[in-house]
């Protein structure tokens, strides 16, 4: 976490963040908070969207330096759209994640950005991939990231079940984000959630006052 | 810019991706060739005249002769066929053995491009080997960039683009080989594509290249390949190669058989020895039957 604070002076705006993605029966939910801060002292934006669409059924969440993450996603988005046109079919989620991984790994000395990639494709259905800071790529059922994620590992481990319904998974994701935002000073604002299934994509925004409350408040 | 295309003609000239300088070099070579060949022209036969000296020249009736000559080079080589069935692909190559001193199994004409992709070639073998390397790099780079196996249509489009690049300049000659690519995976099923020296790629259910391609195509059309399995098809492929082999002109030959499909779990492999022997036996027996029936008819 120290590296994150000293680097913010060099890199400017950075995201203290909570991001998560989870697979349910028939789709995947990906979500994040909406706070951007400088040095953990000043909230530069209360309503930033960290869930970016890279293709029709593929979304990414950014973690780390916002500038680096935005630059990488911009390049990956254009590369992915060209790839999809060449293949004459919607891209696989693993292809999107691999493109991000190549960028992160080849430029690991300059970049400080990590991603969660979640989406649906015709070959393997709903999938979640994590591209970490140095460029490691792994596939998981549920994953959390960002500075706020440290406070909810216990909650996620205890409460996540495979093959939940869409409503159960949405509730799980909202609760997890609310708990993280409640304890992490650099995560907050609204909860942005995106539900991706074969049929389509749905955005759910839960404003701060509608977030679930827990016993300590 | 793409790594594969950069290895093409511009590199060989020692020139960067600068179309202007390539163009100038082309013109000089062309005019030189024209001067030299005006004298020789009288003896040259009907078609070419001075339009066939380089691949960068069209003839008045819209043909690029160098590319057509490259296709003739393919027709001088022995036959290769590839057939797609409902659960896989089978390749068969008639490999002529020019000398008894050759080691058995040398100078293979079926290559592995990736775990799930195989390639059978006809034409100049050296050209074919370098294209196999190109195809291997394409498949490998794709997997490295996108994390999954390359779809066969994309691979054949990419290699076809590379072959086509060599038909544009007078400083290089077109590749003198055609090849058939085949692959199988659970989601897309079996796929078969053929690329010829002009840089065109088509998808097929069955195709043949080489000297006996017309005869082979006739035999292939008789098959009901959409309903066959790989095991049945292996025998038919062996039979077709034996049928089109010309006993009079070319004496000894080796049959190369390979397949990829559900039977191999999606991996491209040479057909195992026992199945190959069974297929060859079936082929030889069918030939004898046909000979016998011919004799009866007489």
């Amino acid at each position: 976490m120290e590296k994150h604070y000293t680097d913010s002076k060099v890199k400017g705006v950075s995201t203290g963040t909570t991001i998560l993605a989870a697979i349910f029966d028939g789709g995947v939910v990906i979500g994040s908070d909406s706070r951007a801060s400088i040095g953990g002292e000043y909230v530069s934006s209360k309503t930033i969207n960290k869930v970016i669409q890279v293709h029709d059924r593929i979304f990414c969440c950014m973690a780390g330096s916002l500038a680096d993450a935005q630059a990488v996603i911009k390049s990956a988005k254009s590369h992915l759209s060209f790839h999809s046109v060449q293949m004459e079919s919607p891209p696989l989620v693993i292809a999107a994640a691999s493109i991000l991984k190549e960028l992160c790994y080849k430029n690991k000395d300059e970049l400080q950005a990590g991603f969660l990639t979640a989406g649906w494709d015709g070959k393997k259905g709903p999938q979640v991939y994590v591209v970490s800071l140095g460029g490691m790529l792994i596939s998981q059922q549920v994953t959390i990231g960002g500075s706020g994620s440290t406070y909810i590992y216990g909650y996620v481990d205890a409460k996540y079940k495979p093959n939940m319904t869409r409503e159960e998974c949405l509730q799980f994701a909202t609760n997890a984000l609310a708990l993280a935002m409640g304890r992490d000073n650099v995560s907050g604002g609204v909860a942005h959630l995106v539900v991706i299934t074969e049929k389509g994509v749905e955005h759910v925004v839960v404003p701060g006052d509608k977030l679930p409350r827990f016993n300590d408040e | 810019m793409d790594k594969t295309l950069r290895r093409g003609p511009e590199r060989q000239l020692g020139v960067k991706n600068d179309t202007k300088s390539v163009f100038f070099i082309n013109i000089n070579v062309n005019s030189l060739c024209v001067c030299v060949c005006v004298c020789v022209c009288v003896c040259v036969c009907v078609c070419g005249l001075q339009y066939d000296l380089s691949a960068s020249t069209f003839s008045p009736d819209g043909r690029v002769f160098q590319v057509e000559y490259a296709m003739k080079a393919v027709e001088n080589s022995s036959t290769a066929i590839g057939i797609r069935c409902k659960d896989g692909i089978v390749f068969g190559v008639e490999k002529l053995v020019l000398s008894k001193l050759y080691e058995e199994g040398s100078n293979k004409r079926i290559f592995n491009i990736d775990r799930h992709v195989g390639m059978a070639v006809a034409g100049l073998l050296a050209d074919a080997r370098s294209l196999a390397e190109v195809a291997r790099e394409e498949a490998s780079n794709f997997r490295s960039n996108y994390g999954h196996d390359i779809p066969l249509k994309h691979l054949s489009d990419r290699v076809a683009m590379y072959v086509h690049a060599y038909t544009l300049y007078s400083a290089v000659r077109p590749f003198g080989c055609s090849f058939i690519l085949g692959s199988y995976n659970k989601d897309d099923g079996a796929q078969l594509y053929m690329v010829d020296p002009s840089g065109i790629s088509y998808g097929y259910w069955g195709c043949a290249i080489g000297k006996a391609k017309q005869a082979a195509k006739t035999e292939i059309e008789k098959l009901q390949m959409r309903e066959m399995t790989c095991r049945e098809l292996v025998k038919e492929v062996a039979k077709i190669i034996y049928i089109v082999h010309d006993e009079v002109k070319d004496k000894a030959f080796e049959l190369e058989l390979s397949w990829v499909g559900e039977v191999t779990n999606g991996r491209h492999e040479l057909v195992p020895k026992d199945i190959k022997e069974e297929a060859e036996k079936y082929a030889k027996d069918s030939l004898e039957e046909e000979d016998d029936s011919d004799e009866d008819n007489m």
Side-chain angles (χ1 to χ4, degrees):
Chain A
M1 288 300 119
E2 281 124 276
K3 191 175 194 288
H4 150 80
Y5 286 116
T6 46
D7 273 77
S8 68
K9 294 196 177 98
V10 177
K11 292 201 184 267
V13 178
S14 115
T15 55
T17 279
T18 312
I19 50 179
L20 71 75
I23 297 182
F24 64 89
D25 184 19
V28 56
V29 168
I30 181 169
S32 76
D33 72 308
S34 70
R35 178 174 293 180
S37 62
I38 302 189
E41 293 162 352
Y42 170 66
V43 176
S44 58
S45 172
K46 291 188 264 187
T47 53
I48 201 169
N49 186 9
K50 299 174 198 173
V51 185
I52 309 289
Q53 181 166 28
V54 293
H55 209 265
D56 295 352
R57 297 270 190 288
I58 308 179
F59 281 75
C60 281
C61 262
M62 317 188 269
S65 151
L66 188 57
D68 289 350
Q70 280 188 344
V72 170
I73 284 210
K74 190 172 175 193
S75 165
K77 201 170 166 180
S78 100
H79 189 165
L80 190 66
S81 109
F82 182 69
H83 170 70
S84 163
V85 168
Q86 268 191 325
M87 295 290 118
E88 294 171 4
S89 71
L92 300 184
V93 186
I94 180 90
S98 297
I99 291 171
L100 287 167
K101 178 260 294 175
E102 283 292 297
L103 285 165
C104 288
Y105 183 74
K106 294 251 158 82
N107 299 299
K108 63 157 79 189
D109 293 336
E110 282 89 23
L111 292 175
Q112 203 182 20
F115 301 93
L116 298 189
T117 309
W120 185 96
D121 67 45
K123 206 164 170 187
K124 283 199 199 156
Q127 298 147 74
V128 168
Y129 293 94
V130 183
V131 177
S132 68
L133 245 49
M136 173 182 79
L137 171 63
I138 55 175
S139 165
Q140 296 199 293
Q141 289 282 307
V142 61
T143 184
I144 49 181
S147 58
S149 67
T150 52
Y151 306 103
I152 51 172
Y153 273 104
Y155 179 78
V156 168
D157 287 345
K159 287 293 182 178
Y160 177 76
K161 303 184 310 267
N163 293 325
M164 287 191 275
T165 66
R166 182 184 172 281
E167 283 65 33
E168 284 174 342
C169 195
L170 258 179
Q171 190 58 54
F172 160 79
T174 318
N175 286 349
L177 283 173
L179 285 165
M181 293 196 283
R183 286 293 182 182
D184 185 24
N185 68 324
V186 287
S187 300
V190 309
H192 284 289
L193 293 158
V194 177
V195 184
I196 310 166
T197 58
E198 182 180 359
K199 293 200 184 62
V201 160
E202 194 198 326
H203 293 262
V204 177
V205 176
V206 186
D209 54 348
K210 300 278 193 315
L211 284 171
R213 286 165 172 268
F214 298 95
N215 294 329
D216 59 323
E217 295 173 51
Chain B
M1 248 335 240
D2 193 281
K3 225 178 19 172
T4 328
L5 278 179
R6 244 197 241 143
R7 276 174 47 228
E10 286 97 15
R11 254 276 190 101
Q12 291 179 345
L13 288 172
V15 164
K16 290 217 169 160
N17 279 337
D18 178 5
T19 41
K20 263 197 218 159
S21 23
V22 174
F23 181 62
F24 283 135
I25 294 171
N26 286 348
I27 291 217
N28 288 335
V29 173
N30 266 338
S31 36
L32 181 64
C33 283
V34 168
C35 298
V36 167
C37 280
V38 161
C39 343
V40 186
C41 240
V42 185
C43 338
V44 170
C45 71
V46 190
C47 39
L49 295 181
Q50 67 263 46
Y51 305 118
D52 65 345
L53 297 168
S54 82
S56 66
T57 313
F58 274 105
S59 73
D61 51 345
R63 298 151 70 183
V64 181
F65 281 111
Q66 278 297 306
V67 173
E68 294 186 16
Y69 296 164
M71 298 206 230
K72 291 222 179 87
V74 177
E75 276 164 37
N76 286 339
S77 116
S78 62
T79 321
I81 65 175
I83 307 187
R84 171 183 164 189
C85 61
K86 72 175 178 204
D87 66 349
I89 307 280
V90 180
F91 288 121
V93 176
E94 170 204 8
K95 198 170 69 175
L96 296 179
V97 176
L98 297 168
S99 155
K100 281 187 214 135
L101 296 172
Y102 277 140
E103 189 185 358
E104 204 180 302
S106 65
N107 284 342
K108 280 199 181 333
R109 288 181 41 196
I110 298 186
F111 302 97
N112 238 320
I113 300 303
D114 198 352
R115 286 184 306 226
H116 65 300
V117 178
M119 173 167 151
V121 307
L124 302 176
L125 193 49
D127 287 9
R129 283 203 189 117
S130 102
L131 281 174
E133 264 315 292
V134 168
R136 282 170 183 153
E137 277 188 39
E138 279 293 332
S140 167
N141 284 338
F142 186 94
R143 178 178 277 117
S144 173
N145 285 333
Y146 302 109
H148 65 100
D149 293 348
I150 187 168
L152 192 67
K153 179 168 196 308
H154 185 67
L155 176 63
S156 93
D157 283 345
R158 298 285 296 182
V159 187
M161 266 204 286
Y162 187 86
V163 169
H164 169 253
Y166 280 74
T167 67
L168 296 171
Y169 309 101
S170 69
V172 293
R173 64 162 175 84
F175 283 97
C177 64
S178 290
F179 49 94
I180 314 177
L181 290 163
S183 87
Y184 175 82
N185 64 48
K186 280 205 181 59
D187 306 303
D188 309 313
Q191 310 219 20
L192 191 68
Y193 283 86
M194 195 260 281
V195 178
D196 68 10
S198 65
I200 292 186
S201 94
Y202 283 122
Y204 288 91
W205 274 93
C207 68
I209 47 182
K211 57 171 73 147
K213 71 173 189 212
Q214 278 306 115
K217 274 191 190 145
T218 321
E219 293 298 322
I220 293 175
E221 276 165 21
K222 293 181 192 162
L223 293 177
Q224 297 291 344
M225 71 254 330
R226 286 162 221 252
E227 279 109 49
M228 294 172 85
T229 65
C230 273
R231 284 186 191 277
E232 295 161 7
L233 193 55
V234 166
K235 294 196 246 174
E236 297 300 327
V237 165
K239 181 178 162 196
I240 293 176
I241 295 286
Y242 270 84
I243 290 176
V244 304
H245 172 67
D246 188 341
E247 273 298 328
V248 178
K249 283 204 194 132
D250 316 305
K251 297 288 159 74
F253 83 102
E254 261 179 54
L255 173 64
E256 253 183 88
L257 276 178
S258 80
W259 57 2
V260 56
E262 217 178 306
V263 64
T264 65
N265 257 324
R267 294 185 98 97
H268 176 251
E269 303 169 337
L270 290 179
V271 170
K273 199 155 171 234
D274 50 345
I275 301 185
K276 182 172 167 201
E277 278 168 9
E278 200 191 314
E280 284 189 291
K281 186 168 172 306
Y282 170 83
K284 287 180 188 150
D285 291 343
S286 328
L287 273 184
E288 275 177 24
E289 267 179 37
E290 283 190 21
D291 283 344
D292 287 342
S293 71
D294 282 341
E295 280 174 20
D296 288 340
N297 285 340
M298 281 169 24

